[in-house]
């Protein structure tokens, strides 16, 4: 694979990890504090939801690190080895954890009595819809990576067969 393309992907991954770190340290806590200042009844929900958001970003960062490692294997032409499956499994695991977090938030939003600053339920319905959408996207991504893992398995087996014949 073109080394320039791999280098560009690595730069993108590094930037994404740094942006996630900034979000974990600055954006998420600041946003939670601002929401509590704006509407004090949100206070009991601020810390748990901020913690879930931080852990969700950690899951994305773990998947990005695993992708970096797979890119390293591609650049060394060693992607069709058993070691690659570990990194693919890390991506699947981190996406499942993030999906389960989103499912937990969806369940909580569905049953909790969260007050609205505007007195209507549209904000709660929007948050519930967004969380449910995240569950769907996360589940679809995990299933896609599982299918890709199966393709990697077949390609690895074929390469092993060809190496034995040659």
């Amino acid at each position: 694979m073109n080394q320039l393309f791999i280098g560009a992907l690595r730069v993108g991954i590094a930037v994404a990890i740094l942006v996630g770190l900034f979000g974990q340290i600055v954006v998420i806590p600041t946003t939670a504090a601002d929401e509590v200042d704006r509407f004090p009844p949100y206070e009991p929900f601020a810390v748990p939801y901020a913690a879930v958001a931080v852990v969700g970003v950690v899951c994305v960062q773990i998947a990005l690190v695993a992708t970096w490692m797979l890119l390293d294997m591609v650049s060394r032409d060693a992607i069709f080895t058993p070691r690659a499956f570990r990194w693919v499994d890390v991506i699947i695991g981190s996406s499942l954890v993030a999906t389960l977090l989103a499912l937990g938030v969806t369940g909580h939003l569905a049953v909790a009595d969260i007050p609205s600053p505007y007195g209507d339920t549209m904000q709660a319905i929007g948050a519930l819809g967004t969380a449910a959408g995240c569950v769907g996207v996360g589940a679809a991504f995990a299933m896609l990576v599982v299918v890709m893992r199966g393709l990697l398995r077949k390609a690895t087996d074929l390469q092993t067969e060809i190496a034995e014949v040659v």
Side-chain angles (χ1 to χ4, degrees):
M1 185 175 276
N2 186 343
Q3 292 299 321
L4 182 63
F5 184 68
I6 290 173
L9 283 172
R10 285 182 176 166
V11 167
I13 289 171
V15 168
I17 289 172
L18 291 174
V19 167
L21 193 60
F22 177 75
Q24 290 168 308
I25 295 170
V26 177
V27 175
I28 293 171
T30 303
T31 302
D34 287 348
E35 286 299 313
V36 169
D37 288 345
R38 191 173 67 89
F39 190 64
Y42 281 164
E43 188 171 5
F45 306 104
V47 172
Y49 277 111
V52 167
V54 168
V55 173
V57 173
V58 167
C59 290
V60 171
Q61 290 171 321
I62 289 170
L64 288 171
V65 168
T67 303
W68 181 290
M69 298 307 291
L70 288 169
L71 278 174
D72 184 53
M73 294 179 78
V74 167
S75 69
R76 289 183 288 118
D77 216 16
I79 192 68
F80 299 114
T81 62
R83 191 170 148 227
F85 292 100
R86 284 182 255 158
W87 292 113
V88 174
D89 290 341
V90 167
I91 294 171
I92 293 168
S94 68
S95 66
L96 286 176
V97 169
T99 301
L100 289 174
L101 287 171
L103 183 62
V105 168
T106 303
H108 183 261
L109 288 172
V111 299
D113 185 27
I114 300 175
S116 175
Y118 306 111
D120 63 3
T121 59
M122 288 308 292
Q123 189 175 19
I125 291 171
L128 179 63
T130 301
C134 288
V135 171
V137 168
F141 179 76
M143 289 186 283
L144 174 66
V145 177
V146 167
V147 169
M148 298 297 280
R149 185 186 191 284
L151 293 173
L152 178 62
R153 169 67 64 201
K154 286 184 186 268
T156 302
D157 291 345
L158 287 173
Q159 186 181 28
T160 303
E161 267 184 54
I162 291 172
E164 289 173 2
V165 171
V166 174

